Amino acid sequence: MSERAQFATKMGVIATSVGSAVGLGNIWRFPYEAGVHGGGAFILIYILCVLLLGIPVIIAEFVIGRSTHKNANSAIKLLAPGSKFRYVSYIGIIASVMILSFYSVVAGWILEYLFQSIIGNLNGHTSQEYSEMFNSLTGSPWRSVLWTTLFLGANFFILRKGVQKGIERISNLLMPILFLLLLLFCVNSLLLPNAQKGIEFMFRPDFTQISPSMIVGAMGQAFFSLSLGLTCLLTYASYFNDKTPLVKSATIIAILDTFVAILAGIIIFPAVFSFGAEPTAGPKLVFEILPNIFQQMPGGYLWSIAFFILLFFASITSTISMSEIFITFCTEEYRMSRKKATRINIAIALVLGTLCALSFNSLSHITLFDKTVFDLFDYISSNIMLPAGGFILAVFVGWVMNKNIVKKQLTNNGELNVRTMRPILFCIKYVAPIAIVVIFLYVIGFFDYVSTLLF
Ligand code: PFF
């Protein structure tokens, strides 16, 4: 069928996709989004989005990728010649570059925190001082740009040397360790004074918090965290072999990813209330809370170093998967060399990433809709482009693609008995596309407009 490489083992499939999914989205973005949007109700809607939109769209991406063994553009050309649906690959490429840019800024902060941990500077300060430490990092143009550049440099090196498979293998060994570390930190957080308040904040939903911006935020977070809607998982699925169980793999990926996010919440929120901080702090939340947590743990110096190293690996397996979207497209569609595609990808990310890093300091006055460049990149890519991409992919698989091919993919040519097939197809065809459109209409105020017309 194709001479492209394929994943050798079942573990390879899951581990690589989980490597892409688990990253800063779970440990940095999830707690801050949940904090900004009031906790429990956000988390509940987030979980609904993962179940009703996330898993079906992962499966849609898997079906397209595995049935063709091609990148999104060629895959859709093959499945539906002449169809405009293939333009979804452009959404994916643009979104992947935007995400790579602001993600590298945050990963740069992780590198600085690793550095500060190693030199022993992350210990022995007050909450106020930790807050100032973060502000001084993001407030300094040269430091933010330096760390962003170093992180992108590491990416470039890995992609350029073609050692990403090696990095993924190391990361696959490290991820279970990260997992164990998170479990341990959870226990530690649960033992903090006032921990119960944090747990209530997470698990007792306050439905008065529900708003259009919260719902679109939960949907965007689900897509971001699952690396969904930008054909990243489609590209990975093009390397799956015919034995990979798509439904089962998608479910495992979604469960693991959500589990890591919830663990991060259980680490952060009890600590937020214990240290008298504000859950609504935004992007700086985990950077202010984590040092407080480490310093009250016995052996905190080592824990913090281990944690930031592991988080660095989790981030880099995510950014490799972002770059792969761009690189696979350029090499397969334009016959560009891998080296050149990598150079272009990282060069664009460096320019845009610098703008994102500077949006906390020299360029903080440049805003659009009250958002800085960093916030705008994050908002547009996560909350608009990824769900839009997910909508197009779900409609394509649900309505355009040949039904027999879809069913054969889900059952591995009839070998598997997939009991959830009907609800999954129903979600791909109706629930996911309709929910995404309704949420978009809700956020632009369409329903308020209609109700003013009616009443
Ligand atoms: N899912 C990643 C995370 O949660 O950190 C972020 C991400 C990776 C988004 C790859 C998009 C992507 F294509």
Side-chain angles (χ1 to χ4, degrees), residues 4 7 32 64 74 86 121 145 163 166 170 179 218 268 306 321 331-332 341 365 373 415 429 447:
R4 297 167 103 217
F7 289 128
Y32 106 60
I64 303 174
S74 305
R86 70 188 176 86
N121 203 17
V145 173
V163 291
I170 299 173
F179 208 65
I268 298 296
S321 73
T331 51
E332 295 190 0
H365 58 284
V373 180
E415 270 176 32
K429 199 164 177 174
F447 298 114

PDB file of all heavy atoms in Angstrom, residues 4 7 32 64 74 86 121 145 163 166 170 179 218 268 306 321 331-332 341 365 373 415 429 447:
ATOM      1  N   ARG A   4       5.880   4.090   3.047  1.00  0.00           N
ATOM      2  CA  ARG A   4       6.221   4.914   4.203  1.00  0.00           C
ATOM      3  C   ARG A   4       6.429   4.032   5.436  1.00  0.00           C
ATOM      4  O   ARG A   4       5.886   2.947   5.520  1.00  0.00           O
ATOM      5  CB  ARG A   4       5.104   5.908   4.495  1.00  0.00           C
ATOM      6  CG  ARG A   4       4.889   6.889   3.387  1.00  0.00           C
ATOM      7  CD  ARG A   4       3.596   7.606   3.617  1.00  0.00           C
ATOM      8  NE  ARG A   4       3.818   8.947   4.129  1.00  0.00           N
ATOM      9  CZ  ARG A   4       3.039   9.521   5.022  1.00  0.00           C
ATOM     10  NH1 ARG A   4       2.040   8.870   5.548  1.00  0.00           N
ATOM     11  NH2 ARG A   4       3.260  10.747   5.411  1.00  0.00           N
ATOM     12  N   PHE A   7       4.525   2.388  12.342  1.00  0.00           N
ATOM     13  CA  PHE A   7       4.853   2.085  13.724  1.00  0.00           C
ATOM     14  C   PHE A   7       4.863   0.579  13.928  1.00  0.00           C
ATOM     15  O   PHE A   7       3.953  -0.105  13.485  1.00  0.00           O
ATOM     16  CB  PHE A   7       3.823   2.697  14.677  1.00  0.00           C
ATOM     17  CG  PHE A   7       3.915   4.185  14.765  1.00  0.00           C
ATOM     18  CD1 PHE A   7       2.798   4.971  14.565  1.00  0.00           C
ATOM     19  CD2 PHE A   7       5.118   4.805  15.054  1.00  0.00           C
ATOM     20  CE1 PHE A   7       2.872   6.351  14.653  1.00  0.00           C
ATOM     21  CE2 PHE A   7       5.204   6.185  15.144  1.00  0.00           C
ATOM     22  CZ  PHE A   7       4.075   6.952  14.942  1.00  0.00           C
ATOM     23  N   TYR A  32      -4.669  26.986  34.272  1.00  0.00           N
ATOM     24  CA  TYR A  32      -4.940  28.426  34.214  1.00  0.00           C
ATOM     25  C   TYR A  32      -6.293  28.716  33.581  1.00  0.00           C
ATOM     26  O   TYR A  32      -7.030  29.593  34.035  1.00  0.00           O
ATOM     27  CB  TYR A  32      -3.753  29.197  33.608  1.00  0.00           C
ATOM     28  CG  TYR A  32      -3.858  29.738  32.212  1.00  0.00           C
ATOM     29  CD1 TYR A  32      -4.845  30.663  31.859  1.00  0.00           C
ATOM     30  CD2 TYR A  32      -2.920  29.395  31.235  1.00  0.00           C
ATOM     31  CE1 TYR A  32      -4.917  31.172  30.570  1.00  0.00           C
ATOM     32  CE2 TYR A  32      -2.980  29.907  29.958  1.00  0.00           C
ATOM     33  CZ  TYR A  32      -3.990  30.795  29.630  1.00  0.00           C
ATOM     34  OH  TYR A  32      -4.063  31.298  28.370  1.00  0.00           O
ATOM     35  N   ILE A  64      -9.048   9.141   8.334  1.00  0.00           N
ATOM     36  CA  ILE A  64      -8.516   9.734   7.094  1.00  0.00           C
ATOM     37  C   ILE A  64      -7.037   9.363   6.928  1.00  0.00           C
ATOM     38  O   ILE A  64      -6.601   8.939   5.858  1.00  0.00           O
ATOM     39  CB  ILE A  64      -8.656  11.277   7.100  1.00  0.00           C
ATOM     40  CG1 ILE A  64     -10.118  11.679   7.290  1.00  0.00           C
ATOM     41  CG2 ILE A  64      -8.095  11.869   5.820  1.00  0.00           C
ATOM     42  CD1 ILE A  64     -10.331  13.184   7.450  1.00  0.00           C
ATOM     43  N   SER A  74      -3.107  15.423   0.499  1.00  0.00           N
ATOM     44  CA  SER A  74      -3.164  14.314  -0.469  1.00  0.00           C
ATOM     45  C   SER A  74      -4.224  13.314  -0.074  1.00  0.00           C
ATOM     46  O   SER A  74      -4.874  12.708  -0.934  1.00  0.00           O
ATOM     47  CB  SER A  74      -1.840  13.562  -0.531  1.00  0.00           C
ATOM     48  OG  SER A  74      -0.814  14.428  -0.792  1.00  0.00           O
ATOM     49  N   ARG A  86      -9.900  19.683   1.243  1.00  0.00           N
ATOM     50  CA  ARG A  86      -8.463  19.546   1.466  1.00  0.00           C
ATOM     51  C   ARG A  86      -7.849  20.840   2.020  1.00  0.00           C
ATOM     52  O   ARG A  86      -6.763  20.832   2.584  1.00  0.00           O
ATOM     53  CB  ARG A  86      -7.756  19.116   0.192  1.00  0.00           C
ATOM     54  CG  ARG A  86      -7.712  20.149  -0.879  1.00  0.00           C
ATOM     55  CD  ARG A  86      -7.167  19.542  -2.160  1.00  0.00           C
ATOM     56  NE  ARG A  86      -7.208  20.487  -3.244  1.00  0.00           N
ATOM     57  CZ  ARG A  86      -6.241  21.368  -3.476  1.00  0.00           C
ATOM     58  NH1 ARG A  86      -5.182  21.387  -2.728  1.00  0.00           N
ATOM     59  NH2 ARG A  86      -6.356  22.203  -4.479  1.00  0.00           N
ATOM     60  N   ASN A 121      18.044  28.701  42.990  1.00  0.00           N
ATOM     61  CA  ASN A 121      17.378  29.984  43.204  1.00  0.00           C
ATOM     62  C   ASN A 121      15.856  29.854  43.324  1.00  0.00           C
ATOM     63  O   ASN A 121      15.160  30.843  43.495  1.00  0.00           O
ATOM     64  CB  ASN A 121      17.733  30.918  42.033  1.00  0.00           C
ATOM     65  CG  ASN A 121      17.575  32.364  42.407  1.00  0.00           C
ATOM     66  OD1 ASN A 121      17.512  32.684  43.601  1.00  0.00           O
ATOM     67  ND2 ASN A 121      17.495  33.231  41.420  1.00  0.00           N
ATOM     68  N   VAL A 145      13.340  36.320  25.053  1.00  0.00           N
ATOM     69  CA  VAL A 145      13.686  35.951  23.673  1.00  0.00           C
ATOM     70  C   VAL A 145      14.803  34.899  23.677  1.00  0.00           C
ATOM     71  O   VAL A 145      14.776  33.946  22.895  1.00  0.00           O
ATOM     72  CB  VAL A 145      14.086  37.201  22.846  1.00  0.00           C
ATOM     73  CG1 VAL A 145      14.598  36.802  21.470  1.00  0.00           C
ATOM     74  CG2 VAL A 145      12.896  38.150  22.722  1.00  0.00           C
ATOM     75  N   VAL A 163      16.635  12.937  14.684  1.00  0.00           N
ATOM     76  CA  VAL A 163      16.655  12.068  15.868  1.00  0.00           C
ATOM     77  C   VAL A 163      15.334  12.135  16.635  1.00  0.00           C
ATOM     78  O   VAL A 163      15.265  11.733  17.782  1.00  0.00           O
ATOM     79  CB  VAL A 163      17.818  12.406  16.835  1.00  0.00           C
ATOM     80  CG1 VAL A 163      19.142  12.038  16.225  1.00  0.00           C
ATOM     81  CG2 VAL A 163      17.796  13.871  17.225  1.00  0.00           C
ATOM     82  N   GLY A 166      14.326   9.053  18.234  1.00  0.00           N
ATOM     83  CA  GLY A 166      15.120   8.780  19.441  1.00  0.00           C
ATOM     84  C   GLY A 166      14.590   9.568  20.629  1.00  0.00           C
ATOM     85  O   GLY A 166      14.426   9.027  21.722  1.00  0.00           O
ATOM     86  N   ILE A 170      13.082   8.267  24.168  1.00  0.00           N
ATOM     87  CA  ILE A 170      13.505   8.680  25.518  1.00  0.00           C
ATOM     88  C   ILE A 170      12.296   9.222  26.261  1.00  0.00           C
ATOM     89  O   ILE A 170      12.047   8.907  27.428  1.00  0.00           O
ATOM     90  CB  ILE A 170      14.570   9.801  25.446  1.00  0.00           C
ATOM     91  CG1 ILE A 170      15.806   9.303  24.714  1.00  0.00           C
ATOM     92  CG2 ILE A 170      14.937  10.301  26.837  1.00  0.00           C
ATOM     93  CD1 ILE A 170      16.835  10.385  24.452  1.00  0.00           C
ATOM     94  N   PHE A 179       4.426  10.922  35.108  1.00  0.00           N
ATOM     95  CA  PHE A 179       3.138  10.510  35.640  1.00  0.00           C
ATOM     96  C   PHE A 179       3.234  10.195  37.142  1.00  0.00           C
ATOM     97  O   PHE A 179       2.442  10.669  37.946  1.00  0.00           O
ATOM     98  CB  PHE A 179       2.743   9.260  34.859  1.00  0.00           C
ATOM     99  CG  PHE A 179       1.284   9.046  34.740  1.00  0.00           C
ATOM    100  CD1 PHE A 179       0.498   9.932  34.027  1.00  0.00           C
ATOM    101  CD2 PHE A 179       0.686   7.951  35.349  1.00  0.00           C
ATOM    102  CE1 PHE A 179      -0.862   9.732  33.917  1.00  0.00           C
ATOM    103  CE2 PHE A 179      -0.669   7.743  35.240  1.00  0.00           C
ATOM    104  CZ  PHE A 179      -1.438   8.642  34.516  1.00  0.00           C
ATOM    105  N   ALA A 218     -13.452  26.080  27.023  1.00  0.00           N
ATOM    106  CA  ALA A 218     -13.368  24.645  27.323  1.00  0.00           C
ATOM    107  C   ALA A 218     -13.211  23.843  26.039  1.00  0.00           C
ATOM    108  O   ALA A 218     -12.427  22.895  25.964  1.00  0.00           O
ATOM    109  CB  ALA A 218     -14.608  24.199  28.086  1.00  0.00           C
ATOM    110  N   ILE A 268      -2.278  21.888  41.553  1.00  0.00           N
ATOM    111  CA  ILE A 268      -2.237  23.355  41.615  1.00  0.00           C
ATOM    112  C   ILE A 268      -3.298  23.961  42.543  1.00  0.00           C
ATOM    113  O   ILE A 268      -2.984  24.806  43.389  1.00  0.00           O
ATOM    114  CB  ILE A 268      -2.386  23.956  40.184  1.00  0.00           C
ATOM    115  CG1 ILE A 268      -1.220  23.517  39.289  1.00  0.00           C
ATOM    116  CG2 ILE A 268      -2.485  25.482  40.230  1.00  0.00           C
ATOM    117  CD1 ILE A 268       0.145  24.005  39.722  1.00  0.00           C
ATOM    118  N   ALA A 306      13.858  17.610  38.638  1.00  0.00           N
ATOM    119  CA  ALA A 306      13.289  16.450  37.917  1.00  0.00           C
ATOM    120  C   ALA A 306      12.026  16.870  37.169  1.00  0.00           C
ATOM    121  O   ALA A 306      11.845  16.549  35.990  1.00  0.00           O
ATOM    122  CB  ALA A 306      12.973  15.338  38.913  1.00  0.00           C
ATOM    123  N   SER A 321       5.682  17.339  17.121  1.00  0.00           N
ATOM    124  CA  SER A 321       4.495  16.944  16.346  1.00  0.00           C
ATOM    125  C   SER A 321       3.899  18.146  15.618  1.00  0.00           C
ATOM    126  O   SER A 321       3.347  18.001  14.529  1.00  0.00           O
ATOM    127  CB  SER A 321       3.456  16.271  17.253  1.00  0.00           C
ATOM    128  OG  SER A 321       2.816  17.202  18.078  1.00  0.00           O
ATOM    129  N   THR A 331       7.408  18.572   2.345  1.00  0.00           N
ATOM    130  CA  THR A 331       8.204  17.552   1.651  1.00  0.00           C
ATOM    131  C   THR A 331       7.323  16.731   0.707  1.00  0.00           C
ATOM    132  O   THR A 331       7.760  16.361  -0.376  1.00  0.00           O
ATOM    133  CB  THR A 331       8.911  16.594   2.639  1.00  0.00           C
ATOM    134  OG1 THR A 331       7.937  16.102   3.551  1.00  0.00           O
ATOM    135  CG2 THR A 331      10.009  17.269   3.411  1.00  0.00           C
ATOM    136  N   GLU A 332       6.094  16.472   1.090  1.00  0.00           N
ATOM    137  CA  GLU A 332       5.269  15.610   0.238  1.00  0.00           C
ATOM    138  C   GLU A 332       4.532  16.385  -0.852  1.00  0.00           C
ATOM    139  O   GLU A 332       4.303  15.863  -1.928  1.00  0.00           O
ATOM    140  CB  GLU A 332       4.281  14.814   1.102  1.00  0.00           C
ATOM    141  CG  GLU A 332       5.031  13.849   2.009  1.00  0.00           C
ATOM    142  CD  GLU A 332       4.142  12.839   2.729  1.00  0.00           C
ATOM    143  OE1 GLU A 332       2.913  12.869   2.545  1.00  0.00           O
ATOM    144  OE2 GLU A 332       4.695  12.025   3.466  1.00  0.00           O
ATOM    145  N   ALA A 341      12.607  22.379   4.710  1.00  0.00           N
ATOM    146  CA  ALA A 341      11.297  22.568   5.354  1.00  0.00           C
ATOM    147  C   ALA A 341      11.473  22.852   6.843  1.00  0.00           C
ATOM    148  O   ALA A 341      10.808  23.716   7.410  1.00  0.00           O
ATOM    149  CB  ALA A 341      10.435  21.331   5.144  1.00  0.00           C
ATOM    150  N   HIS A 365       2.145  47.060  24.594  1.00  0.00           N
ATOM    151  CA  HIS A 365       1.116  48.067  24.264  1.00  0.00           C
ATOM    152  C   HIS A 365       0.391  47.724  22.964  1.00  0.00           C
ATOM    153  O   HIS A 365      -0.634  48.315  22.651  1.00  0.00           O
ATOM    154  CB  HIS A 365       1.765  49.449  24.163  1.00  0.00           C
ATOM    155  CG  HIS A 365       2.867  49.495  23.139  1.00  0.00           C
ATOM    156  ND1 HIS A 365       4.123  48.949  23.365  1.00  0.00           N
ATOM    157  CD2 HIS A 365       2.894  49.991  21.890  1.00  0.00           C
ATOM    158  CE1 HIS A 365       4.873  49.106  22.286  1.00  0.00           C
ATOM    159  NE2 HIS A 365       4.153  49.734  21.376  1.00  0.00           N
ATOM    160  N   VAL A 373      -0.152  40.080  21.383  1.00  0.00           N
ATOM    161  CA  VAL A 373       0.149  39.127  20.305  1.00  0.00           C
ATOM    162  C   VAL A 373       0.087  37.693  20.832  1.00  0.00           C
ATOM    163  O   VAL A 373      -0.499  36.797  20.217  1.00  0.00           O
ATOM    164  CB  VAL A 373       1.555  39.389  19.714  1.00  0.00           C
ATOM    165  CG1 VAL A 373       1.876  38.409  18.601  1.00  0.00           C
ATOM    166  CG2 VAL A 373       1.667  40.817  19.217  1.00  0.00           C
ATOM    167  N   GLU A 415     -12.415  -7.188  11.305  1.00  0.00           N
ATOM    168  CA  GLU A 415     -11.806  -8.091  12.296  1.00  0.00           C
ATOM    169  C   GLU A 415     -12.225  -7.766  13.728  1.00  0.00           C
ATOM    170  O   GLU A 415     -12.253  -8.625  14.593  1.00  0.00           O
ATOM    171  CB  GLU A 415     -10.282  -7.978  12.219  1.00  0.00           C
ATOM    172  CG  GLU A 415      -9.674  -8.953  11.245  1.00  0.00           C
ATOM    173  CD  GLU A 415      -8.187  -8.742  11.118  1.00  0.00           C
ATOM    174  OE1 GLU A 415      -7.556  -8.336  12.107  1.00  0.00           O
ATOM    175  OE2 GLU A 415      -7.669  -8.979  10.018  1.00  0.00           O
ATOM    176  N   LYS A 429     -20.960  12.490  12.812  1.00  0.00           N
ATOM    177  CA  LYS A 429     -21.832  13.056  11.784  1.00  0.00           C
ATOM    178  C   LYS A 429     -22.649  14.247  12.291  1.00  0.00           C
ATOM    179  O   LYS A 429     -22.781  15.255  11.594  1.00  0.00           O
ATOM    180  CB  LYS A 429     -22.774  11.942  11.320  1.00  0.00           C
ATOM    181  CG  LYS A 429     -23.407  12.228  10.000  1.00  0.00           C
ATOM    182  CD  LYS A 429     -24.007  10.965   9.398  1.00  0.00           C
ATOM    183  CE  LYS A 429     -24.696  11.339   8.105  1.00  0.00           C
ATOM    184  NZ  LYS A 429     -25.180  10.231   7.368  1.00  0.00           N
ATOM    185  N   PHE A 447     -27.365  34.029  19.587  1.00  0.00           N
ATOM    186  CA  PHE A 447     -28.621  33.669  20.269  1.00  0.00           C
ATOM    187  C   PHE A 447     -29.214  34.876  21.003  1.00  0.00           C
ATOM    188  O   PHE A 447     -30.422  35.042  21.054  1.00  0.00           O
ATOM    189  CB  PHE A 447     -28.414  32.478  21.202  1.00  0.00           C
ATOM    190  CG  PHE A 447     -27.986  31.248  20.449  1.00  0.00           C
ATOM    191  CD1 PHE A 447     -26.730  30.697  20.634  1.00  0.00           C
ATOM    192  CD2 PHE A 447     -28.825  30.667  19.497  1.00  0.00           C
ATOM    193  CE1 PHE A 447     -26.325  29.585  19.909  1.00  0.00           C
ATOM    194  CE2 PHE A 447     -28.426  29.555  18.771  1.00  0.00           C
ATOM    195  CZ  PHE A 447     -27.172  29.018  18.978  1.00  0.00           C
TER     196      PHE A 447
END
